[in-house]
Amino acid sequence: MKLSCLLRRIIAVLCVALLVSPAFALVEPETEGMDAVTRDDGTFLVGGPTYAFDRINGAGGIHSESELWTPGKLRERLLFNRLSVTPSWTPHEPSVWLRTGNELGDMIYHDPLYDTEERPDNRTPLLEGGFRTPSFMGFWATARLFQVDHYSDENSRARRRQVSDEFSFFGANWPMFSTLYGGLGFTNDFIDASVLAGEEYLWIFGESSRWIPVFYSPRVEARADIGNLEVTLAYENAEYQNVKKKESGTRTEVNGSVYYKCGSFCKEQTYWFAAGAQFRKVEDEGTVYFGLEDDYVAWPFVQMQINLLDRITLDAMIGANNRDWLLQDSLELKIPIMAGLGVVVGEKNIAGTRLNPLADTEEFFDGDTMNLAPNGSMQLHELYLMGEDSVSVFRLGARAAGWVEYGAESFDTTEFVKDDKLLYRHGDVSRINEWIEGVTGKAWFAIDYGKMFSFTAMGGFERIWGPTREFEVTPAEYFASFEGDWLLGGSIRIAHSINYRSDARWNLRSSNPMVIKGDWYWNATFEQQFPKYGLYLTGSLLHVLADEALQAPNGSYDRLRFICTVRKTF
């Protein structure tokens, strides 16, 4: 017999009371870049491993964090117009590992929840294996095969009609990504370099709300950190197809970056600076669903930081090219009150023509050219106050902020198109030429007892005024989290979090807003460690207790799932 919603809520409350014990629990997501599934301090709506709306409480503005370019994201993947770590091509530390998992369907968990005839089928898996050898005279080798089928089945019927095969290295679930690469590297005290090559099946989410299949064959990425200089260069041969419409095309792209950071001299001074440039060069042939103006973009930028009297810190970054400009800066004043207690007063600004000047400028959909580069510019200003007091192993802190934004990026929808269960949209990226205001606050209590024991309780809210119907997403107003991490006997680690997030709402991808109902959920990791042998056995449960829900238009259900990892370090 199916449990009532009331009984499930009672179980959630009991879990809070019994399990929240011994800051921030290290609950492992499925793979790198999928931290949104375990985050609780804002609005994180997952449409699939390759797409999520990620917005931290108190960040200011109404944009998703992955839409905003920053120098810290130079090595993140640009998936259409969003920056993502998924799928990750960052080499692991020397180790060998195997990971598997599943969205739980016809399993023991469901026996008390469903009658036999209502019990769902077994669902989609996660599979991964890889290694990185120890260094031999500085040289090492690595290889990795991994794919995440989670969030795939709800939209797979519409997606599978676009491709000529299963669109993955193994299985027939049409996973959101399937990646295989290998390569060589060299590491010493002065240089850390690697060259990786492989193939990849990937589904990218466009502004039209379409899932677009891309096959990279090959993709090659080279990285080199030489002293204070970081260099990245990638070659991508991307194949696009839509068998249903008999369309196909290729994009050959070269992209990369150069980044220099002031070294030891700046560490002893009040002034720090960095400079760099990032670029993309594409060559399209046939039907390619995205366009880049002039097929080329270069983005030079500079950063600086000034520290005065160890009390005042000024950070600034500005980039510009012939088409766009982007400025991000902040000013912080640290005010010591007493031992262990300090207050930070800060102000930060973002202004520019585009949040991500390296992104594509057009999307092509059924004969329509969708403009992704709106006219004009935006400006965001935030004033915040933050303080934290610590006594022995206890910490208590709070942050309050107010922000205003003008010219926020939005979308002007002109038409909706239905295809099977999926809904697409026509239109252009636009601006909200009105002031949007928001106030936000959060408070936390934490206990830190070395590696043995840590606990954090946090709650926050945000209230936004403005034309909310024009927001791509209206963020959640409240969140609460209880996170614990402790190590027993130096070898058993338990980490978990109980989280609550209130309603959020997608406004512009359907004629009626799509409301994502607030819910409690629990994530947990259990790990048996054998440090002497470098062996770690890890299991994680994600999205326990919460209702199975669609969190993004054309996405798939966020379900209970289990992931286990065996890792041997060298």
Side-chain angles (χ1 to χ4, degrees), residues 492-513:
I492 299 176
R493 187 175 73 88
I494 301 174
H496 63 86
S497 62
I498 292 282
N499 313 286
Y500 174 77
R501 185 174 59 227
S502 63
D503 294 0
R505 190 179 72 209
W506 293 85
N507 297 303
L508 305 176
R509 293 183 184 261
S510 56
S511 55
N512 296 313

Side-chain angles (χ1 to χ4, degrees), residues 91 117 142 155 161 289 330 396 405 414 463 512 547 562:
E117 63 272 12
T142 187
N155 49 42
R161 292 180 299 177
Y289 300 103
S330 66
L396 182 66
E405 181 177 23
T414 58
R463 186 73 180 94
N512 296 313
D547 289 331
F562 175 72

Side-chain angles (χ1 to χ4, degrees), residues 20-25 388-397 443-458 481-487 494 496:
V20 173
S21 302
F24 298 101
E388 186 173 69
D389 190 13
S390 60
V391 178
S392 183
V393 298
F394 303 99
R395 289 185 293 114
L396 182 66
W444 59 91
F445 169 74
I447 303 173
D448 299 313
Y449 196 73
K451 295 182 179 180
M452 182 183 301
F453 177 90
S454 65
F455 164 73
T456 300
M458 178 181 290
S481 66
F482 305 88
E483 304 184 324
D485 194 328
W486 66 98
L487 189 64
I494 301 174
H496 63 86

